[in-house]
Amino acid sequence: MTSAPVFEASASDHVLLAFDSRVLEVFGYVDDARYHVWERPRLEFAAGRRRLARIVTGHGRRHSVPYDAALLPGPRALAEQLARSLPPEPARH
């Protein structure tokens, strides 16, 4: 069995994001967190005085971590990979 590639991106000196096509993981800063694609996580990047990467799930769960502007291309690429890996939206009844 072949495992999926793991995409890793440093958001800052203290935060690492990792995505293996099923689970988005956040390491460092205050605590560690895991988000399965079933939760439909997405990454948003807020610019300004306080740069924050926000993880928001389809269920409303939120997590923010600081990012370094010089490292932003890595987290943005990981966010794009994450968006392409999400399952289709569930049908509403």
Side-chain angles (χ1 to χ4, degrees):
M1 179 177 195
T2 308
S3 60
V6 176
F7 297 91
E8 292 184 349
S10 294
S12 71
D13 289 343
H14 307 289
V15 178
L16 176 70
L17 304 172
F19 180 61
D20 69 358
S21 79
R22 293 179 344 122
V23 177
L24 172 64
E25 296 178 291
V26 183
F27 300 101
Y29 189 51
V30 175
D31 56 1
D32 301 329
R34 294 169 53 92
Y35 301 89
H36 193 276
V37 292
W38 171 81
E39 295 180 88
R40 304 193 60 73
R42 69 181 184 277
L43 275 162
E44 302 172 345
F45 302 96
R49 200 177 101 242
R50 208 162 165 235
R51 294 181 192 96
L52 291 175
R54 292 186 182 97
I55 299 163
V56 182
T57 70
H59 302 135
R61 190 172 157 201
R62 297 178 180 274
H63 188 135
S64 297
V65 295
Y67 72 85
D68 181 336
L71 298 174
L72 189 55
R76 281 202 191 276
L78 187 140
E80 291 169 10
Q81 183 64 34
L82 172 63
R84 286 192 298 269
S85 299
L86 293 181
E89 286 277 348
R92 305 244 179 208
H93 297 283

